[in-house]
Each structure stands twice: as C-alpha cells, then as structure tokens.
C-alpha cells in the first residue's frame, strides 16, 4: 500500500496564504484513504551540524471510504502535483498535493487501482447473482 506525507488544501485561509500548508500522513488500504495530521520536525545537531527530519503524527485518524468518492478529472491538478477526490454524497472536495507530479500520479494510479478492484468486484458479484 502507498503511504507518505501529502499537503491538504484548506479552503478557509486567505488568498495570500498557502492553501496547501497543512501536512498529513496518508496511506491507502484496500478500500480507503487514511489521513492523520502531521508535522515535520527538523532536528539540528550541535556536533557536526547534521540535520534530520522526523514526522510527528496526530492520534486522530480520518478515513475516506473510496467507494463514496470519485477522482476529479481537473487536468490542472496533476500539472502541479495535485489531485482531488470529490464526494459522491455531498460534492465535498478533498484536494491533496504531493512533493512532485510523479508522486501525485502514483497516488492517482493507486486510487484508480482500488476503484477498479472495488467496483470490479461489486459489478462481478451483481452479474453473478443475475
């Protein structure tokens, strides 16, 4: 399963601020996207000047069952390392940004694989029942 730190778009910040400032540790399971608020902490050593980073993750988890979401086909998204999920239930948007276009494409491909596996299985079961 794919996992990594993604930046989540916050619609409530002013237009002068970075809307993608909030970092989340994200991972995919067979049917869901899981997210926990994350903070990257940078440690600097006084001896030798070495620098290391550590991701500190919140306890509270958000889970998005992917059968309730679709991938937005906004072509602007992928050009900027971004991708967006849209809720089938209420149209809520969940916009995420990866470190690179390539990483974003990897997330999109993995989400599409989950959609195919999940929807393909559900479709096959309904066909088998008829």
């Amino acid at each position: 399963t794919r996992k990594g730190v993604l930046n989540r778009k916050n619609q409530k910040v002013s237009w002068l601020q970075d809307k993608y400032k909030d970092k989340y540790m994200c991972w995919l399971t067979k049917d869901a996207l899981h997210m926990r608020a994350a903070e990257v902490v940078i440690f600097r050593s006084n001896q030798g000047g070495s620098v290391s980073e550590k991701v500190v993750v919140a306890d509270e988890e958000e889970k998005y069952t992917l059968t309730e979401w679709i991938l937005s086909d906004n072509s602007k998204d992928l050009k900027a390392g971004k991708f967006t999920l849209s809720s089938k239930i209420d149209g809520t948007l969940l916009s995420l940004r990866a470190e690179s276009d390539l990483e974003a494409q990897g997330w999109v491909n993995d989400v599409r694989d989950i959609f195919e596996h999940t929807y393909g299985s559900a479709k096959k079961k309904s066909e088998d029942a008829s």
Side-chain angles (χ1 to χ4, degrees), residues 28-80:
L28 293 169
T29 56
K30 66 179 182 173
D31 67 345
L33 169 67
H34 302 263
M35 299 174 62
R36 286 188 178 170
E39 183 178 353
V40 177
V41 180
I42 299 173
F43 297 95
R44 297 192 196 292
S45 170
N46 289 336
Q47 300 168 357
S50 65
V51 175
S52 62
E53 291 184 356
K54 180 180 178 185
V55 177
V56 179
V57 180
D59 290 335
E60 190 173 322
E61 179 181 316
E62 297 176 40
K63 179 180 177 185
Y64 298 93
T65 304
L66 291 174
T67 55
E68 298 171 359
W69 295 79
I70 58 171
L71 269 168
S72 166
D73 58 357
N74 187 345
S75 60
K76 288 189 310 188
D77 277 357
L78 281 176
K79 291 180 183 166

Side-chain angles (χ1 to χ4, degrees), residues 13-32:
V13 299
S14 83
W15 64 275
L16 294 171
Q17 295 176 302
D18 179 7
K19 291 187 185 310
Y20 286 93
K21 186 175 75 170
D22 300 333
K23 293 185 180 300
Y24 284 79
M25 175 58 75
C26 302
W27 65 98
L28 293 169
T29 56
K30 66 179 182 173
D31 67 345

Side-chain angles (χ1 to χ4, degrees), residues 28 32-33 35 64-66 68-73 77 83-88 91-96 107-108 111-112 115:
L28 293 169
L33 169 67
M35 299 174 62
Y64 298 93
T65 304
L66 291 174
E68 298 171 359
W69 295 79
I70 58 171
L71 269 168
S72 166
D73 58 357
D77 277 357
F83 62 99
T84 300
L85 294 168
S86 176
S87 170
K88 293 180 188 178
T92 299
L93 297 178
L94 177 62
S95 297
L96 301 164
W107 280 94
V108 168
V111 168
R112 283 189 178 135
F115 286 159

